[in-house]
Amino acid sequence: VSTVCVLYTQGIANREWREFGRTEVIDNTLNPDFVRKFILDYFFEERQNLRFDLYDLDCKSDNLSKHDFLGQAFCTLGEIVGSLGSRLEKPLIGIPGKKCGTIIVRAEELSNCRVRSVMLQFCGNKLDKKDFFGKSDPFLVFYRSNEDGSSIKVEVYDWDRDGGHDFIGEFSTSYREMSRSQSQFHIYEVNFFTHTHTLVLSYLQGFIIFSTQINFTVAIDFTASNGNPSQPTSLHYMSPYQLNDYAMALRAVGEIIQDYDSDKMFPALGFGAKLPPDGRVSHEFALNGNPQNPYCNGIEGVMEAYYQSLKSVRLYGPTHFSPVINHVARYASAVTDGSQYFILLIISDGVITDMAQTKESIVNAASLPMSIIIVGVGPAEFDEMIELDGDEERISSQGRYAERDIVQFVPFRDYIDRRGNHILSMARLAKEVLAEIPDQFLSYMRTRGIKPGPLPPPYTPCPPPAIHPLLARRVSRI
């Protein structure tokens, strides 16, 4: 077996898959551990679809159709980054009736534009010779151990084509140790049993991976100004041929956010409707009809609950935002240590009738680990919603100013593709409304002095072994 992994990325507009790169070929093992990394730009606010194809190479041709297909896996870059330890394991599919094995993909931050970069230079002296013929082909593996990534362990291996790389030795150092030295170079002994070797390198900038649970809540406007859902003119009209604006906004944002929510269970709320059986007006009701457990399974579950609510409730009014904001704020106030962050998506069609209460709720929520996304649908003017977005002037209530800007508002109509490409419309909307989330997240952490938590323990392969291409990422915003 001579295995190679091929990475494909998908275009947003045309949905075409394009080959991004290939790993090295590893011979004579069913459990290859690939060394070559794929370096991608990572955008929190975009859905970046990936496909991994595995092949057994039968000849030297670059034409993949001439080789044996072993299986494939689909995921998003956000799904990998949002997994525990940024490590995602998925079954390989693509061959009917056959179990194709498993692929493990890991994401790792390569650089961050907000920190200074450090140049690395390496050279070895008298490294142990591991090959019977010729010289060793050494490469280095770096491990971080402290919370701030400053303590570093370096392992030295001799590269083998079959993936069974020979361990030469290891040493430990720290960024502080290297940066304090008077010399540009540092000499470390590489220790392995009775062998001693030498490696020289310059100082190294540590990296940080911070895993925070994202909690996503949806709140949908069920006021009468949306129009009768049974009529095609309604913003809530359920066409058999295409999604309405509410559904498109929900899916556009939700499909990206769900990659960062480990259990994929989302509270889904509605406001401004009369509820059965007594017709009482509610500004904070569960779309699934269960106020004790408003959670829906994934975005598909939220969509289904939304459609069912349209069949059971009566659109009424007025338009109150503060109850759903306070709902999420109650949960956010209970977890302020940085381990969780809450995002509320409000989709509405018009004028806010509890503006003073909404401002007060936002000012209170600005001190909590939460952000609010407001998507305006339909042709109405959205002056009040624009006012809530504190980009130009920080929102205030009764003389108190919001501690930070936590609201992002966009009118959906500004991002609708004129040619009717709804996939492109949703991608544009998601990119705009999610663009500020990383900075809002970081502003909360900084103002609270919250530092990144400890890294998860390093992954140790266990039987059954798996195909394991490494995926590296370069962060653009967070």
Side-chain angles (χ1 to χ4, degrees), residues 149-451:
S150 61
S151 183
I152 304 156
K153 183 178 77 169
V154 182
E155 294 180 347
V156 186
Y157 290 87
D158 172 37
W159 185 86
D160 286 333
R161 183 178 175 82
D162 63 4
H165 312 304
D166 299 316
F167 180 65
I168 295 178
E170 65 181 38
F171 67 91
S172 297
T173 184
S174 69
Y175 172 74
R176 179 177 299 177
E177 177 185 346
M178 291 184 283
S179 62
R180 284 181 174 178
S181 174
Q182 298 297 320
S183 172
Q184 180 182 2
F185 299 101
H186 306 265
I187 300 177
Y188 299 95
E189 291 185 345
V190 181
N191 299 309
F192 176 62
F193 298 112
T194 60
H195 299 286
T196 300
H197 319 286
T198 303
L199 188 76
V200 183
L201 72 160
S202 63
Y203 53 95
L204 171 68
Q205 173 69 46
F207 300 112
I208 295 174
I209 296 178
F210 184 25
S211 178
T212 296
Q213 170 69 27
I214 301 295
N215 298 286
F216 180 53
T217 301
V218 178
I220 296 178
D221 184 340
F222 282 82
T223 56
S225 57
N226 285 281
N228 187 337
S230 64
Q231 300 297 319
T233 55
S234 172
L235 294 171
H236 281 305
Y237 179 64
M238 292 185 291
S239 168
Y241 306 107
Q242 66 182 44
L243 299 175
N244 63 40
D245 284 0
Y246 278 91
M248 279 197 286
L250 173 58
R251 187 179 291 278
V253 178
E255 285 189 345
I256 293 177
I257 293 293
Q258 73 175 353
D259 287 339
Y260 303 91
D261 190 309
S262 59
D263 62 8
K264 306 291 189 291
M265 298 296 292
F266 307 123
L269 309 175
F271 58 90
K274 284 188 173 182
L275 307 185
D278 56 359
R280 65 181 179 88
V281 178
S282 174
H283 301 290
E284 181 192 342
F285 64 91
L287 295 189
N288 64 4
N290 186 347
Q292 284 73 41
N293 184 14
Y295 292 86
C296 300
N297 188 6
I299 294 304
E300 292 302 328
V302 176
M303 298 285 288
E304 179 61 27
Y306 162 58
Y307 291 140
Q308 290 301 319
S309 289
L310 287 174
K311 298 175 182 178
S312 61
V313 305
R314 179 186 171 191
L315 274 58
Y316 198 68
T319 305
H320 288 178
F321 279 12
S322 59
V324 293
I325 295 175
N326 294 336
H327 175 99
V328 176
R330 286 194 295 271
Y331 288 92
S333 64
V335 190
T336 58
D337 60 357
S339 62
Q340 298 189 46
Y341 196 83
F342 296 78
I343 298 176
L344 169 62
L345 169 64
I346 300 176
I347 312 175
S348 179
D349 78 317
V351 178
I352 304 170
T353 51
D354 67 336
M355 192 63 176
Q357 295 89 333
T358 295
K359 285 184 176 181
E360 183 179 5
S361 297
I362 292 174
V363 170
N364 293 334
S367 62
L368 300 174
M370 67 178 285
S371 292
I372 302 170
I373 298 169
I374 304 175
V375 177
V377 297
E381 296 298 326
F382 298 113
D383 293 343
E384 291 88 353
M385 297 185 190
I386 294 173
E387 184 180 346
L388 298 179
D389 191 326
D391 286 344
E392 296 185 6
E393 182 178 351
R394 190 65 58 87
I395 189 174
S396 64
S397 173
Q398 300 180 4
R400 288 192 306 131
Y401 282 85
E403 180 180 311
R404 58 195 181 93
D405 176 22
I406 65 169
V407 178
Q408 170 75 336
F409 164 73
V410 296
F412 192 12
R413 60 174 177 252
D414 289 356
Y415 302 92
I416 294 178
D417 181 65
R418 295 179 180 179
R419 296 167 295 181
N421 186 331
H422 296 303
I423 293 176
L424 189 57
S425 299
M426 290 190 289
R428 289 172 175 171
L429 175 70
K431 184 174 182 178
E432 180 66 20
V433 299
L434 294 174
E436 293 186 8
I437 296 295
D439 285 336
Q440 292 175 1
F441 167 83
L442 289 175
S443 72
Y444 176 80
M445 299 301 172
R446 291 193 188 104
T447 56
R448 294 297 179 274
I450 298 173
K451 296 181 179 180

